Amino acid sequence: MTLWKKAVALLLAAAMMVPLALAAPSTEGSFSDVEDHWAQAEIEKAVATGWVDGYPDGTFQPEQTITRAEFTKLLLDAIHLTPDSEIVAWMKGASQAQAPLEDMADHWLTEGGWMDAALVSGMVVTQDYNYHNFRPEKPIARYEIALMTTRALGQVKEGNQLLDSLDYTDDNTILPWMKGYVNEAVKAGVLHGYPDGSFQPHATSTRAEAG
């Protein structure tokens, strides 16, 4: 892995510990529901540096699951593919257009330009989703995190490798096409297995636990 990719992987791993909140954030630097939480220091540091925001009611909700939409914005922020960036503008002119996602027209992710950035960069692929419905408010599964972060790291070729098995007790629940992506995300330090030796690809993570 190149130094650039290592740097991106470290940034993703750090950012994913305290995923992004909603489009209408709280401007407070501390939250009523993170005191004595195991991730309190990381949450407060991330808020201070502008990585993440809380909710309008002054909470951070660290035990709430992170949605596909929230994770998409988090990941784009982490790799600096913001809607107003020069590289996204270049990608829009150079990339082959994908079919649109059918359920995203009025979503804040689209209105803010984030979905365009995800599509033109190839981080989100329309064909991955049944009937081209992204279902943005669905909690994101661990295998989806592996898929999107591996693409963000430019490791698609490696992710597409068909591996016979991974060293997890629930290896039989990791579909063959997922294994290369899971393997790359774990190697990058973005995801880890559980203490019982499982990976649980279809499990969802809380906002404090993601990654």
Side-chain angles (χ1 to χ4, degrees):
M1 188 183 295
T2 66
L3 289 175
W4 162 248
K5 289 176 181 174
K6 287 181 180 178
V8 172
L10 288 172
L11 181 58
L12 290 176
M16 285 170 63
M17 290 193 67
V18 280
L20 198 65
L22 295 177
S26 165
T27 57
E28 298 297 323
S30 59
F31 304 96
S32 59
D33 57 347
V34 301
E35 186 174 355
D36 299 325
H37 190 276
W38 64 266
Q40 180 178 357
E42 289 82 2
I43 291 169
E44 291 177 348
K45 181 179 179 180
V47 170
T49 57
W51 283 358
V52 293
D53 293 300
Y55 288 86
D57 64 358
T59 64
F60 186 80
Q61 302 179 28
E63 299 308 315
Q64 179 172 305
T65 55
I66 181 171
T67 67
R68 285 175 174 171
E70 289 176 321
F71 183 77
T72 298
K73 187 171 186 287
L74 165 91
L75 189 51
L76 290 167
D77 257 335
I79 59 177
H80 304 298
L81 284 183
T82 55
D84 59 352
S85 66
E86 291 184 5
I87 190 168
V88 169
W90 175 83
M91 285 177 174
K92 285 182 178 180
S95 302
Q96 184 174 357
Q98 295 195 59
L101 289 160
E102 298 294 338
D103 59 343
M104 293 299 296
D106 299 320
H107 194 271
W108 62 263
L109 201 65
T110 300
E111 292 175 346
W114 296 96
M115 184 51 74
D116 275 350
L119 289 169
V120 298
S121 67
M123 200 181 81
V124 170
V125 175
T126 302
Q127 298 297 329
D128 288 348
Y129 302 95
N130 291 335
Y131 305 104
H132 295 180
N133 287 316
F134 187 63
R135 299 175 67 190
E137 303 311 316
K138 181 179 179 179
I140 194 167
R142 282 165 56 82
Y143 80 86
E144 295 177 276
I145 290 175
L147 180 64
M148 292 174 68
T149 54
T150 298
R151 287 172 176 164
L153 291 169
Q155 301 290 107
V156 175
K157 180 179 178 181
E158 294 83 352
N160 281 332
Q161 292 182 13
L162 296 178
L163 305 178
D164 291 332
S165 63
L166 296 176
D167 191 22
Y168 296 108
T169 56
D170 58 348
D171 176 70
N172 64 326
T173 70
I174 307 174
L175 298 176
W177 69 265
M178 295 180 192
K179 291 183 179 182
Y181 288 96
V182 168
N183 189 51
E184 292 304 313
V186 171
K187 282 167 55 179
V190 174
L191 289 170
H192 303 281
Y194 287 91
D196 64 0
S198 66
F199 183 79
Q200 302 181 33
H202 296 281
T204 57
S205 297
T206 65
R207 284 163 42 80
E209 291 174 334

